[in-house]
Every structure is written in structure tokens, then in C-alpha cells.
Amino acid sequence: MTEITVAPALELDKVLHMLAQKASTADAAEAAKVLTPSPYLQEVTHRLDETDDAARLMAGYGSPSFGHIKNMKNAWHRAAAGAMLSLRELLDIAAVLRTVRALCEWRERSQGVETTLDDRFAVLSPNKFLEERISLTVLSEDEVADTASTELATIRRKMRQATQRVREQLDNMVKSPTYQKLLQDPIVTIRSGRFVIPVKAEHRAQVPGLVHDTSASGATVFVEPMGAVEANNELKVLLAKEEAEIERILFALSAQVGEFADALSVQYDVIIELDLIFAKAALAYDMKAMRPAVSDDGVIVLRAARHPLIDKDKVVPVDVTLGETFDTLVITGPNTGGKTVTLKTLGLLTLMMGCGLLVPCGDGSRLSVFDRVLVDIGDEQSIEQSLSTFSAHMTNVARILKQADEKSLVLLDELGSGTDPVEGAALATAILEELRRNGARIAATTHYAELKAYAIHTDGVENGSCEFDVASLRPTYRLIVGAPGRSNAFAISARLGIDGALIDRAKVLVSGDDRRLEEVVVRLEERRRSLEEELKTAKELRRRSDEEGRMTREQLAKMRMEQDKLLEDARREADRITEKARLEAERLLDELEALRKQSRQGASAAQAAKTDLRQKLKSLDEARDPVKKAPGNSGYRLPRELKVGDEVLIFDIDKKATVLSLPDKSGQVEVQAGIIRTRVAVSNLRLIETKKTPQKPGSVARSMTSRMERTAETDLDLRGMASDEGLLEVDRFIDNAVMAGVPAVTIIHGKGTGVLRAAVQQHLRRHPSVKSFRLGTYGEGESGVTIVELK
């Protein structure tokens, strides 16, 4: 099987007619009208992918232009055989070439998007040479351009000159007083391709020349004066040459077209395929359709499905499931309640999907491919009632029973109707049983209570009902799967004014089984409504909860953003204040240096001021990045007072250090941690008791070295010094460190303007005792210090 036989009752042809109207080319429109569903999952999936990709491209880059081109295969194949094409045919071929180029340019604008259409677009190759050759040669279907060839341009120039000479000669005759009285009108006209003047018949003998025509009344003869004959003959010869040259040009141009005949045929077919695919995407946009999930397991799940031929402002979406937990759906409900529309929607969307059309349904929808969609839905002239006879129904059902198998979808409208109710119900039940034995997926509508009971008591068969509002006596068109429909005959009759006693009598006459079934249906209906209300309430509560959670998350995110902003603002303000203080300090240091140079007496005062300023700068740096105290720092007391040289632990950063000075008035102790010298609160220190090792004989040299290491300076503060003074201090400092065996030292030059830092680093590059150097990292002083590794 290569395609599904389409039942006319499902009206797929009307959908395909809508599709054809979206096509730009006549061939694509014809292809749309004969489109048939495929029963193969892989092919259907590919078709849907193409349509979905086309819709995605249209949404992002607009619709491509197909230019209403014509099928010119016959023309370019005739050209390949050596025939000369007409100007009209060449113009139509140029339109095809322009469309190829326009499609390639359109696709280039969306090159970043990979689609299933890329193979088709790759076939298209613009032939700008041939396109421009035709465009420059053919101006219209009646005119060849002068620029088509040099020879044609020369001939036409001569023609214009000859025409001008003839006209000038005849114009002189027309304007001459001698000839004016002989002429019917003072004009120059053309007859048989030659310039003539209209002469009164009675004066014919007075104007020597050749007569080419006579007016209908005979009062005027059109004479070519003898003086114009030679010029007209020249013009006639040039016209013949022009026609011959045009014919030569068209033959040459047709031959060029013939060289590309095969490529043009392939590209034209691709254009038609693309036009059809993008027409599907345009129809999907109009229908607000989407791509459903597709399988071949016979499972159908439709969410908010809409019949595409019903006005989209009036159609009521339906939810339909079939094939998951049950293979047969029995739909009951009042007439005009939407049962038949539901069947048609189910079948039509399945066929549309097989054609590669997106379907009007909601998210989460799923369709299955079938080898056959077998339908008995009465008269195709109406989607609201069945007008066919019982015999016609049974003829269709007999055909369906012979064809139905596990790859079939069977849709039966008013199964078993048109005959005795008892026999009809029994026959309908037997038909459903036979179809189920064949493995088909079945959806059937009925009014029989026996089929409702059959669905209730049979596994794999489910009831469905089209809801009816008794209060307003109107159907809601909602399909409810899982509950049988009520007849509502008694309720409707009571609402319409039938006496209550009469209705009570009718209820008594209903058989016991029917009454019990109706009571079960009523209870099921009440239970369903109750569950729907509970579900609605639960959904509302969940919606509120989700909304509150979303608002809470947004508020938290906003608070975090505000907190980060405040911290960043605080950091910037601290940087600004510190930088301002640093610049002011540098300025004061420069002033003090100048004073020191001017007066020896002020040197000591300047040195004291410089020392004080350096201390304040250190305090500012510490204030910008204070060390956080570790938890549990307050309960410890030193076992004894600290001494210079004691080993201690800086508690909050868990770092060992050596005491360099005793606590000052503010409780700050200067310590050395590695190559870093800093001041730490005495409360933040833990004493590390070490056992003294007795000095062995012969260890004098080692003891002297140890003492030198303990007393050697490991950092040098140059802030406030001039460059030349600082470099002298650097040399002295490095010499002492090398003698003491210190591997690395720190030179503090501050950030400031960077002049001192540049001078120090330039000096270090040439120093013989320096192995390498770098700027400090975070916690070491950053760009305000230089760490020097010694040889």
C-alpha cells in the first residue's frame, strides 16, 4: 500500500482546496489538490518536519517569493532540440531564473538555521549569466533590445536615419502650399510598411507615385511619392535585415537556454515542491495549527482539537483519546450535539497529518498513522445528521468488515440505526465485536442504551458523551470521555411543557434494565461533575501557589540584586575615598620632601610627618579589606606575655607568624608571616610553645646565621621617598637580605602615580642579585608592592 483511500465524507478535498489557494504557482496548486495521505511513519514524519521547518523560517524571515512562474519544461526542451523560442517564452524562462536566484538569496539570510529543506535549497543554483542575457536581449514579448547585438544596433541606427529622411521629405510635401490643396489631411502615414501621404482621389494624377491603399469611401488614396520610393526601399531592406538579425539572436539565445534544460527542469521541480511546502506552512498559520507527535502504534490523543472547516470563531474544541487504555470509543448524546463533528475531526486530522499538514489542536496532541481510514458517516452533504438508509449503512459496514485490520481506523456514525431498535442494537454490538477481533481502532456514535451498557461492561471499550445543557436545552459540544451520554428525553419534554403525570407514566413503562442503566448514568454524571469541580479548584489552588512562588523568587532575586548593588556602591565609594586620601598624602609627601631639601632643621620634622602618613595609609588599606574574625575568637588568653621572636598562630586566617615587636598601646602586634609583615590584634594571636634544643659544639656558625635570619628585614617601605633616594634604599636593603640568606623580599612603593614603582622595577631588572620580581596579589598589597625573588 502506497497511500490511504480517502473517504469523501471526511471532506479532505476541501482542506486541500484551501491549501491550493495558498500556492503561488499553478503546478503547486494542482499538486496540492491531488495530495494523498501516506501510511508510512517515516514519510509522514519527514513531511511534517518539512512543514514545521517552513513555518519556523516564515516566522523568522518572512515568506519566500515564488513569483507565479509558469511551467516552461516544454520550451527549454524544444530549445535543447534546436528550436527557436518566442520572446514570451524567453521572458517566462527569465522569470524562473529570477525565482531561483530570489530563493537562494532568501535562504542565505537564514543560513544559521538548519532545516530539513536544506537539501532542496542546495539544488537551486542561480544562473545570473543566462538571466541577464535574456533580460538585456528581450524588453517585452514584442521587442528585442538594441543592445542584443552590435549588428542589430547598427541596423536600427540606419533605420532611424532612413525613416528620418523619408519623413522629412514627406513633411516638406505636406507643408508645401502646392500640395496642401491636393491632400485629404496634412499628415504622413504608413501603409504596407511604407510611408505614404493621403491624396484626394480627384487629384491622384497630380501627385506622381505609387498607390498602396484606398480609403473605404474611395475619396482618399494613399500615395507613395516617387521621391520617397528609394528611401522606402532602403528602409524595407533594413527591416528585412533587422528581422534576420533578431532571428539569429533568438536562435543563439534559445541554444543557450537549451544547454541548461536538464538543470532547469530539476530546479523547477524543486521550486514546485518548496512552493507546496510553504503553502502548507501558510495554511497552518491561518488555522493556528501545530505539529503533533506521530507514531504508528494506533494511539490518538487530541487536545483542544478543532474541525478546520468550521468557522474558527464558532468551533468548540474537543479532547479525544483512543488506543491508550481502550481501542473502542462509543459516543452517545443528543442529535446536533456534536457526535458526528467529533468523528469527522478525528478522521480529518488523521488524514491531514498523513499529508504533512499541521493540525489545529493543542499542545500534547498525538496522532498515529494508519494503512486505512474506513468511514461510514452517512450523507456527506451534512455534518449534523445522517440521511442514508439502513441498506446503505450496511453496504458500507460490509466493506469495512472485509478491510479492517490492526492498522485501520474505523469511524461509524449512528451504528445500527434505521431498523428495529432491538435488532439494530444487537447488530451494532456484533459489528463492534468483530472489528475489535480484527484489531481495528474504532470510534462509533449511537443512541442505543445497549451499546452504553456494552461499553461499561467490556474491557477495552469506553463510553463518551456529548454534553447537553438541560436548563438551556442547548448542546455544549463538549466531548466527555469516560461517561455515557443521557438521552435527556424526559427532562427536555418536561422543560417544553409536557405534563408531569404523563412523564411519570412514561418512566414506569421503561424497562427495569433501562431504568437501572439510566440511574447509573445519572450517578456517573453527578460524580463526574463533582470531580470536575474538585479538579478545577485544585488547578486554581496550584495556579495561585505557582504564582506566589514565582513572585517570591522574583522578590528574592530583586533583593539579591539590590544587595549586590549596595555592596558594589560601597566598594566604589571606599576606593574613591582611599584614592583621594592617597593622592593627598602623595602631595603632602612631595611638599615635605621639598621642605627637607630646603632646610636641614626641618628634616627631622619631615621624616616624622612622613612616618605618620605612611602609618595612616596602611590603616586606610586595612580599612578597605578588613580581615573577618573567625568564630570562637573571644575565649582565649595568652599563657604569658609575648616576646620578640615568639612563634604565634594568626587565628582568623590559620597562618603561622613570628612576633617582631611587642604590643603597642592599641593592642596591635607586628608579626612576620612568610614574606608578609603586618599588624594583628593581640587577641587574634595564639602562642605556639616550642621546645629549645641544646646547642651542640661546633654550631656557632649556624647560630650566627639563624640570628641574622631573624633580624634581617624582609620588606622595605619606600612610600614618600624620591626616586633616587628610594633606589639607594633598595640597594642597601637587597644587600642585607642576600647576606642574611632571605630568599624573597617585599618592596612597598604604593600605587600613587606609578612613577616610583616604574623606577624601582627598572632598577631591579639590572640588579645582579635579583632573580625575578612581580607585583603583589590580593592580600599582598596588589600593585602597591613588588615581590622580589633573590638569587
Side-chain angles (χ1 to χ4, degrees):
M1 172 172 290
T2 58
E3 60 185 43
I4 299 174
T5 302
V6 178
L10 294 179
E11 301 175 303
L12 177 64
D13 57 321
K14 295 182 180 179
V15 175
L16 296 181
H17 181 72
M18 295 167 60
L19 174 62
Q21 291 178 327
K22 296 293 182 182
S24 298
T25 61
D27 284 357
E30 288 302 315
K33 292 177 182 178
V34 298
L35 199 58
T36 54
S38 170
Y40 303 114
L41 176 61
Q42 185 175 0
E43 182 178 358
V44 170
T45 301
H46 184 65
R47 288 181 177 183
L48 291 173
D49 288 341
E50 289 179 333
T51 307
D52 196 37
D53 285 344
R56 187 157 51 97
L57 288 173
M58 287 174 61
Y61 304 95
S63 301
S65 174
F66 294 93
H68 302 286
I69 58 175
K70 299 177 182 178
N71 187 341
M72 301 305 296
K73 288 185 177 181
N74 180 52
W76 52 59
H77 285 306
R78 282 193 297 106
M84 184 185 78
L85 301 181
S86 68
L87 297 179
R88 179 70 266 167
E89 288 173 326
L90 288 170
L91 288 173
D92 290 338
I93 291 172
V96 174
L97 294 171
R98 276 194 303 275
T99 299
V100 171
R101 178 168 53 84
L103 289 173
C104 291
E105 291 173 352
W106 180 87
R107 187 65 183 100
E108 285 177 0
R109 294 197 298 270
S110 57
Q111 278 301 316
V113 182
E114 294 185 5
T115 69
T116 53
L117 305 176
D118 291 346
D119 291 343
R120 285 187 170 86
F121 278 105
V123 173
L124 301 179
S125 178
N127 191 336
K128 200 167 185 181
F129 166 76
L130 184 58
E131 180 190 342
E132 290 181 349
R133 186 78 180 86
I134 296 175
S135 300
L136 293 174
T137 300
V138 184
L139 297 181
S140 69
E141 57 184 301
D142 300 316
E143 184 179 3
V144 175
D146 292 354
T147 55
S149 74
T150 305
E151 180 65 20
L152 182 61
T154 302
I155 292 172
R156 285 185 172 174
R157 185 179 66 255
K158 292 179 179 180
M159 288 175 63
R160 286 190 292 270
Q161 293 172 351
T163 299
Q164 186 176 0
R165 288 196 300 271
V166 174
R167 277 191 171 278
E168 287 177 355
Q169 186 176 356
L170 295 181
D171 283 342
N172 290 334
M173 291 181 65
V174 169
K175 295 175 182 179
S176 170
T178 304
Y179 287 99
Q180 280 186 351
K181 60 184 179 181
L182 306 178
L183 302 178
Q184 194 71 258
D185 294 299
I187 60 172
V188 177
T189 185
I190 296 177
R191 288 292 185 274
S192 301
R194 303 177 77 87
F195 287 97
V196 297
I197 56 177
V199 180
K200 294 177 181 178
E202 61 268 24
H203 299 302
R204 162 69 187 85
Q206 294 176 266
V207 181
L210 303 176
V211 177
H212 287 280
D213 198 5
T214 304
S215 66
S217 64
T220 305
V221 291
F222 296 93
V223 178
E224 178 186 5
M226 293 305 295
V229 170
E230 186 60 31
N232 269 329
N233 287 342
E234 181 185 357
L235 189 58
K236 200 75 174 177
V237 171
L238 290 173
L239 282 171
K241 288 183 177 179
E242 180 192 33
E243 290 178 0
E245 179 62 15
I246 288 175
E247 185 175 331
R248 186 195 67 77
I249 291 170
L250 294 183
F251 265 115
L253 190 55
S254 299
Q256 288 179 332
V257 172
E259 293 176 3
F260 299 101
D262 293 337
L264 287 171
S265 294
V266 173
Q267 294 187 72
Y268 178 79
D269 290 339
V270 169
I271 291 174
I272 298 305
E273 292 172 2
L274 287 172
D275 188 14
L276 180 57
I277 292 170
F278 279 94
K280 293 178 182 179
L283 182 63
Y285 180 80
D286 284 354
M287 289 183 176
K288 293 182 173 56
M290 60 160 289
R291 187 195 190 287
V294 185
S295 65
D296 57 357
D297 56 4
V299 175
I300 297 175
V301 179
L302 289 176
R303 308 292 186 199
R306 307 175 301 280
H307 196 288
L309 299 179
I310 301 178
D311 188 342
K312 59 185 178 182
D313 295 327
K314 297 180 180 179
V315 65
V316 178
V318 296
D319 294 342
V320 185
T321 58
L322 179 65
E324 283 188 313
T325 58
F326 54 89
D327 55 44
T328 302
L329 179 63
V330 178
I331 305 174
T332 53
N335 288 330
T336 73
K339 300 190 302 298
T340 305
V341 173
T342 299
L343 284 189
K344 286 194 170 186
T345 302
L346 185 60
L348 181 56
L349 297 195
T350 299
L351 295 178
M352 288 174 62
M353 173 268 300
C355 293
L357 295 170
L358 306 188
V359 296
C361 59
D363 292 337
S365 295
R366 175 181 175 186
L367 288 168
S368 176
V369 294
F370 294 96
D371 287 351
R372 301 174 184 84
V373 178
L374 305 172
V375 177
D376 176 38
I377 305 186
D379 194 301
E380 60 184 333
Q381 296 177 357
S382 173
I383 62 171
E384 294 183 348
Q385 57 182 342
S386 174
L387 304 177
S388 56
T389 63
F390 176 75
S391 59
H393 273 298
M394 287 303 102
T395 299
N396 287 335
V397 170
R399 173 183 56 83
I400 290 171
L401 287 171
K402 291 178 182 178
Q403 298 180 12
D405 57 18
E406 67 278 359
K407 297 295 291 181
S408 300
L409 173 64
V410 180
L411 306 175
L412 303 171
D413 191 29
E414 300 295 347
L415 181 60
S417 63
T419 187
D420 178 75
V422 176
E423 294 181 352
L427 186 60
T429 302
I431 290 170
L432 291 181
E433 289 177 342
E434 179 63 20
L435 290 172
R436 294 191 67 219
R437 276 194 292 271
N438 292 339
R441 298 293 188 270
I442 310 157
T445 67
T446 184
H447 285 287
Y448 292 138
E450 289 83 353
L451 286 184
K452 299 178 189 178
Y454 171 72
I456 291 174
H457 295 103
T458 306
D459 292 336
V461 183
E462 187 61 84
N463 272 300
S465 62
C466 289
E467 192 177 50
F468 188 85
D469 187 355
V470 178
S472 63
L473 298 182
R474 291 180 179 274
T476 65
Y477 300 105
R478 286 183 60 209
L479 178 69
I480 302 167
V481 176
R486 298 172 57 189
S487 65
N488 296 304
F490 294 151
I492 293 173
S493 299
R495 291 279 298 172
L496 293 176
I498 300 298
D499 185 76
L502 190 150
I503 293 175
D504 291 340
R505 174 59 182 160
K507 290 180 179 179
V508 172
L509 294 176
V510 174
S511 68
D513 289 343
D514 289 342
R515 279 200 305 273
R516 285 192 294 274
L517 177 60
E518 188 68 17
E519 290 172 357
V520 170
V521 171
V522 170
R523 288 197 297 271
L524 285 173
E525 179 71 10
E526 292 174 350
R527 180 59 177 163
R528 181 189 65 79
R529 291 182 181 276
S530 175
L531 290 174
E532 280 189 350
E533 288 297 324
E534 292 178 5
L535 180 60
K536 183 178 179 181
T537 302
K539 286 182 177 179
E540 177 63 20
L541 290 174
R542 179 174 179 177
R543 186 193 65 78
R544 291 180 182 176
S545 176
D546 291 344
E547 181 66 17
E548 291 175 356
R550 183 188 63 79
M551 293 176 64
T552 301
R553 288 191 297 272
E554 289 179 354
Q555 290 176 354
L556 285 174
K558 184 177 179 182
M559 290 173 63
R560 290 193 184 101
M561 290 177 63
E562 291 177 352
Q563 182 181 14
D564 292 342
K565 185 177 181 301
L566 289 172
L567 289 173
E568 183 62 24
D569 291 345
R571 291 191 190 100
R572 289 178 180 174
E573 181 65 16
D575 289 342
R576 187 188 66 79
I577 294 172
T578 304
E579 187 62 23
K580 182 179 179 182
R582 188 180 300 281
L583 291 174
E584 182 66 19
E586 294 289 349
R587 185 183 64 80
L588 291 174
L589 286 172
D590 291 340
E591 292 179 359
L592 289 172
E593 182 65 20
L595 289 173
R596 185 180 67 81
K597 291 179 179 179
Q598 293 175 6
S599 173
R600 292 184 179 180
Q601 186 177 358
S604 58
Q607 186 63 36
K610 287 179 3 182
T611 303
D612 184 53
L613 281 171
R614 290 194 191 102
Q615 186 61 40
K616 290 180 179 178
L617 284 173
K618 288 183 179 180
S619 300
L620 282 172
D621 286 335
E622 292 171 0
R624 287 181 60 197
D625 187 23
V627 178
K628 295 181 180 179
K629 290 185 178 181
N633 193 32
S634 59
Y636 177 80
R637 289 187 179 181
L638 290 170
R640 60 175 174 79
E641 292 185 357
L642 293 176
K643 300 178 181 179
V644 175
D646 281 344
E647 293 289 329
V648 292
L649 177 70
I650 304 175
F651 179 75
D652 54 4
I653 61 174
D654 194 26
K655 185 74 173 178
K656 290 183 179 180
T658 303
V659 176
L660 300 180
S661 68
L662 297 179
D664 58 14
K665 295 179 179 180
S666 61
Q668 296 290 320
V669 180
E670 187 175 9
V671 297
Q672 178 85 30
I675 63 172
I676 303 300
R677 176 182 289 182
T678 185
R679 299 186 70 82
V680 183
V682 70
S683 59
N684 194 30
L685 297 177
R686 302 290 186 271
L687 182 64
I688 300 175
E689 296 287 355
T690 56
K691 295 182 179 180
K692 294 183 180 180
T693 304
Q695 186 174 337
K696 297 179 181 180
S699 60
V700 177
R702 287 195 298 271
S703 298
M704 290 177 64
T705 302
S706 298
R707 284 194 298 273
M708 187 177 293
E709 289 175 354
R710 284 198 302 270
T711 58
E713 296 288 340
T714 58
D715 61 352
L716 173 64
D717 193 343
L718 301 178
R719 288 179 294 184
M721 296 184 185
S723 297
D724 52 353
E725 179 188 4
L727 296 180
L728 292 174
E729 290 293 327
V730 168
D731 286 337
R732 180 192 60 77
F733 174 65
I734 291 177
D735 290 342
N736 289 339
V738 170
M739 290 178 64
V742 177
V745 294
T746 302
I747 299 176
I748 305 170
H749 42 62
K751 298 179 180 178
T753 61
V755 174
L756 183 59
R757 177 180 67 242
V760 169
Q761 293 186 351
Q762 184 66 25
H763 185 67
L764 292 175
R765 289 188 180 95
R766 300 190 299 268
H767 201 287
S769 300
V770 175
K771 182 178 181 181
S772 65
F773 62 87
R774 61 176 174 83
L775 288 175
T777 60
Y778 181 77
E780 293 179 334
E782 302 177 358
S783 61
V785 303
T786 296
I787 309 300
V788 183
E789 184 179 358
L790 302 177
K791 295 180 180 179

